[in-house]
Amino acid sequence: RRDVTAEQLAALLAHPGEALKSSPKAEVRRVGHWVIKESRTGGAVSLTLKRGRHRRAWLAALHLRRNQVCVPEPLAFVEKTRLGLVTGHLHVFQYLAGFRDVEQFALALAKGGAGPDTLRLFLEHLADAVKSLERAGAYHADLSGKNILTRDGAAFYFIDLDAVIVGEEYEAGRRMKNHVQLYDSFCDLFSDTLMVPFIRRMLPESEDPRMWLPRVRQEQAERRARIEAKWEKQGVR
């Protein structure tokens, strides 16, 4: 970001911070109001050839904020290079204190005895947030509830922006994939009394919900079966 000097950024990156997540793919730590995600994947040749892919989250964050879609505030994207080859990269963005993913938030509402009107309003706000992605000309390929955060059930922030594609048509196949992901996130908690209006709210007038909703249910069931089969193979319960 232009209001951050190289010296300020270097000091931030040098801070050990608080470890949030560590995996073979990335190291994630918190430093104050910021999260630093450092990639560990790929060799220099692969990272260089896939440079555009690794910049995707940074560019998507800038695009979405320009279009009034809520995402963590982006601070910097850093590429490490040697002899003209990319050897690593870091993405620095806002730490969302006090936020939970929408699956956790919905579960807390249900356990807290929230009434149908409260639950319906939560899902209406979420549906409107999802539609804001389409208006911004963006498609999130992994729009499960774990990648949408909220603090109050009214404003929603999208994360995992590596999965966002900007400037391509949001055609029926992509819309179906998103609706299946979202239906899968909530169908164990909410009945179709709530889920049907939720999905319908995200549909354009050109789609017939009487044809659309059975497909969502069928594809969600197939998706769940694939995931559970994978877990069983891996010994995960």
Side-chain angles (χ1 to χ4, degrees), residues 9 43 59 63 69-70 93 133 139 144 194 208 224 229 234:
L9 181 59
L59 297 174
H63 173 83
V69 178
C70 293
F93 52 91
L133 285 171
Y139 163 63
S144 69
L194 290 170
D208 185 347
R224 182 71 64 88
Q234 296 174 341

Side-chain angles (χ1 to χ4, degrees), residues 83-102:
L83 302 176
L85 295 175
V86 178
T87 59
H89 49 81
L90 304 95
H91 189 195
V92 187
F93 52 91
Q94 176 188 10
Y95 176 74
L96 296 176
F99 282 70
R100 290 178 284 179
D101 71 50
V102 292

Side-chain angles (χ1 to χ4, degrees), residues 67-87:
N67 286 275
Q68 289 75 56
V69 178
C70 293
V71 297
E73 179 184 355
L75 184 75
F77 178 76
V78 180
E79 285 180 344
K80 297 180 178 181
T81 61
R82 184 178 182 184
L83 302 176
L85 295 175
V86 178
T87 59

Side-chain angles (χ1 to χ4, degrees), residues 150-166:
T150 187
R151 186 164 51 188
D152 57 9
F156 299 87
Y157 283 68
F158 298 97
I159 62 171
D160 193 17
L161 302 185
D162 301 86
V164 172
I165 299 171
V166 173

